[in-house]
Amino acid sequence: MIMPGKLWRLCLLLALTVGVTLAQKKLRELKPGFNLFSVEQDVQMGREYAQQIEKEVQVVNDPTLVRFVEGIGRRLASAREAQGFQYSFKVVNEKSINAFALPGGPTYTHTGLILAADNEGQVAGVLAHEISHVILRHGTNQASKAQLIQLPAMLGAEMLGARGGITGMLAQLGIGLGANSVLLKFSRSAERDADLLGTRIMSSAGYNPIEMARFFEKLEAESGKSSRLGEFLASHPNPGNRVKAVQDEIQLLPRRDYTAGTGDISSVKQVAQRLPDPPKKPAQQQQAGANAPQGTGNPQNYAAGRPSNRLKEFQGGEVVFGYPDNWEVFPNEQTRQLTIASRSGMVGQAIGYGMIVNIIQSSAGLDRDTQTLVQQFQQGDPNIRVSSQSRRFRLGNSDALATRLQGPSPFQGVNEELVLITAQRPRGMFFLLLIAPDRDMNTAQPVFDQIIQSIRFSN
Ligand SMILES: [Zn+2]
């Protein structure tokens, strides 16, 4: 049986590719990657999230701390490389060692981070790194890649004035600012780029960029000892050799004396140390898993999950397809995929009658990637087996494979048939998995055929 909640980890395996870095003599061009959001939407989203955050944390008004962090921020924001966004630099009364930037420019520095820094340059380093994530739009880039199917349609709706703002729309996709948010937890390659751009910004602003790398490495070294560091290091994973990478980058930049941020900051740290603890926070909302669909299917009776033979159209950015009009669409951030079924076609979280759709990153070609995907299904349930060889066909202008699988159904006493359609697309491998009890295939197959025939790719 297929538990959509277990699939996403497996799909991530496919996403791992081996990067090869060649020695470079010139400054590498750094620019934002693929993004379904507009810059204005980054800004709007940051504004909305900032309002939410500032209801939950205690923003510090102490003039010494405000002047210190805003002063650093102003200096960095004036760098040529930092143009294009209106940043804000606020201090949060929190002893954990953390800082973060929202899309579009609002940044928050915990007092714990100021206390952990040896000098102003290190605080500047973290902030330069954070605004580099803003400039390179890493948060919405990651959200775009995670939501290739659902997002374009929803962003269209947002443009037409959906209520609840852009963050309300993202919440429907399971995207928020909770732990492991796709908007704030960065990949190693995003980290490397934020280090490089942060280096350039610091240098332009007169700070010695090496302080950024030193501070990251210092925190890394202390991570075993301090529980106050977990979130920051998890959100900014070490891309490796940070100090060396920054040193190499400095070599490529115009030579200059780093005159900023060399003064003593012990008086600032004393103020941060003396701040009374903030009032206890209300319980944090759990975001993860909030969207996992729960079925109400009766394990003794699969008939209630049957698909209607009237199709409704699902419009994504990459793909349009039909699905039975008595089934519901359940998008999920963690699985990065759509589960489409009626609740009575699902027993708990297992799909007995339904379909799963996603686009996943591919690396080895359609045949190999399809095999890998099947193996991942089998890791989820070792009883799943391939019942007939993959058949090759054309789906629009894409190469596609149809593969039949069998396995135990979550409905008692029956097996299930699974029809897997995979197609090579420019941005990854599209897959559609159709699931039905085997003894109901006479009813299901004609509908499944209609669904497969309805698939259209946008280009
Ligand atoms: Zn980072």
Side-chain angles (χ1 to χ4, degrees):
M1 71 185 76
I2 296 290
M3 306 279 287
K6 288 189 177 161
L7 267 178
W8 68 278
R9 268 175 246 129
L10 306 171
C11 292
L12 284 180
L13 288 176
L14 257 191
L16 296 174
T17 51
V18 181
V20 179
T21 314
L22 298 170
Q24 294 154 323
K25 294 281 185 302
K26 284 200 327 197
L27 274 186
R28 186 152 68 80
E29 190 187 358
L30 295 170
K31 53 180 185 186
F34 164 69
N35 210 310
L36 296 168
F37 296 84
S38 64
V39 172
E40 292 70 30
Q41 285 172 322
D42 277 26
V43 171
Q44 178 61 28
M45 185 187 308
R47 204 175 285 147
E48 291 176 23
Y49 281 133
Q51 281 180 4
Q52 291 175 20
I53 283 172
E54 291 176 26
K55 282 182 202 150
E56 289 164 18
V57 302
Q58 191 182 71
V59 173
V60 173
N61 295 317
D62 176 273
T64 303
L65 291 169
V66 170
R67 217 181 305 125
F68 176 66
V69 170
E70 282 188 348
I72 295 171
R74 249 197 317 275
R75 208 172 230 290
L76 295 171
S78 67
R80 182 172 48 83
E81 295 85 352
Q83 299 312 301
F85 290 94
Q86 296 278 332
Y87 309 96
S88 62
F89 297 91
K90 296 189 177 175
V91 184
V92 171
N93 185 12
E94 259 289 336
K95 289 288 157 49
S96 55
I97 301 172
N98 202 1
F100 58 96
L102 300 173
T107 75
Y108 297 90
T109 306
H110 286 194
T111 46
L113 187 127
I114 297 170
L115 289 170
D118 296 330
N119 53 49
E120 181 181 325
Q122 295 191 343
V123 179
V126 169
L127 289 173
H129 176 99
E130 291 295 341
I131 65 174
S132 297
H133 284 309
V134 172
I135 298 161
L136 296 171
R137 306 183 62 210
H138 285 147
T140 47
N141 164 258
Q142 295 186 153
S144 300
K145 287 194 283 197
Q147 300 287 347
L148 277 179
I149 295 189
Q150 300 100 298
L151 204 45
M154 298 196 85
L155 284 174
E158 198 269 339
M159 304 293 274
L160 298 174
R163 293 210 289 177
I166 197 162
T167 53
M169 178 206 84
L170 289 172
Q172 287 179 45
L173 295 175
I175 297 178
L177 293 184
N180 292 325
S181 167
V182 70
L183 292 169
L184 294 180
K185 184 178 176 185
F186 301 104
S187 68
R188 283 174 211 278
S189 71
E191 282 307 293
R192 196 173 304 117
D193 286 356
D195 278 359
L196 292 186
L197 185 54
T199 299
R200 296 175 198 173
I201 291 171
M202 287 185 83
S203 178
S204 290
Y207 288 107
N208 186 348
I210 206 68
E211 293 297 346
M212 171 179 56
R214 280 200 194 126
F215 191 44
F216 271 107
E217 298 221 324
K218 172 185 154 167
L219 296 181
E220 198 91 31
E222 285 174 9
S223 60
K225 284 176 260 165
S226 173
S227 61
R228 289 175 170 174
L229 259 166
E231 195 176 345
F232 186 65
L233 293 177
S235 306
H236 302 274
N238 188 349
N241 296 321
R242 278 194 135 120
V243 170
K244 169 88 169 54
V246 169
Q247 280 168 339
D248 289 350
E249 186 74 1
I250 292 172
Q251 296 302 314
L252 302 175
L253 298 173
R255 265 178 204 288
R256 58 177 303 168
D257 292 328
Y258 301 120
T259 52
T262 52
D264 179 26
I265 64 163
S266 56
S267 59
V268 176
K269 288 168 79 161
Q270 273 168 23
V271 174
Q273 187 65 55
R274 275 196 241 110
L275 279 186
D277 284 339
K280 286 260 176 288
K281 276 186 265 181
Q284 296 256 329
Q285 283 188 348
Q286 281 293 325
Q287 305 240 16
N291 273 8
Q294 278 287 341
T296 56
N298 174 357
Q300 318 284 352
N301 175 18
Y302 53 78
R306 275 181 187 146
S308 138
N309 59 7
R310 286 181 307 273
L311 298 191
K312 257 198 301 212
E313 190 163 86
F314 182 87
Q315 294 210 6
E318 292 255 308
V319 62
V320 175
F321 56 85
Y323 65 96
D325 68 356
N326 63 333
W327 287 4
E328 282 178 74
V329 180
F330 302 100
N332 189 296
E333 178 186 18
Q334 281 185 327
T335 63
R336 299 178 168 196
Q337 65 199 357
L338 304 173
T339 297
I340 304 177
S342 74
R343 287 192 188 267
S344 42
M346 299 181 63
V347 180
Q349 288 187 24
I351 303 171
Y353 227 144
M355 59 199 265
I356 295 176
V357 188
N358 203 355
I359 294 175
I360 56 180
Q361 288 190 33
S362 61
S363 50
L366 183 60
D367 295 76
R368 288 274 304 282
D369 288 340
T370 301
Q371 273 173 26
T372 308
L373 184 60
V374 169
Q375 283 160 12
Q376 291 167 0
F377 295 153
Q378 289 167 331
Q379 283 172 29
D381 182 347
N383 294 310
I384 290 177
R385 60 186 180 82
V386 175
S387 56
S388 74
Q389 283 270 311
S390 295
R391 186 172 57 80
R392 192 169 292 279
F393 67 111
R394 295 289 289 176
L395 196 55
N397 54 5
S398 296
D399 264 335
L401 290 177
T403 309
R404 274 186 181 270
L405 310 161
Q406 286 180 335
S409 170
F411 294 114
Q412 275 167 23
V414 291
N415 282 322
E416 66 189 10
E417 289 229 14
L418 305 109
V419 181
L420 174 65
I421 304 297
T422 46
Q424 196 67 59
R425 300 290 306 142
R427 279 209 284 266
M429 186 173 80
F430 168 86
F431 81 81
L432 168 75
L433 182 69
L434 297 151
I435 306 159
D438 59 355
R439 60 181 62 169
D440 221 31
M441 277 312 271
N442 283 346
T443 311
Q445 189 67 56
V447 181
F448 287 0
D449 287 341
Q450 277 189 62
I451 293 171
I452 295 165
Q453 282 159 19
S454 73
I455 300 169
R456 298 279 179 274
F457 296 116
S458 60
N459 48 43

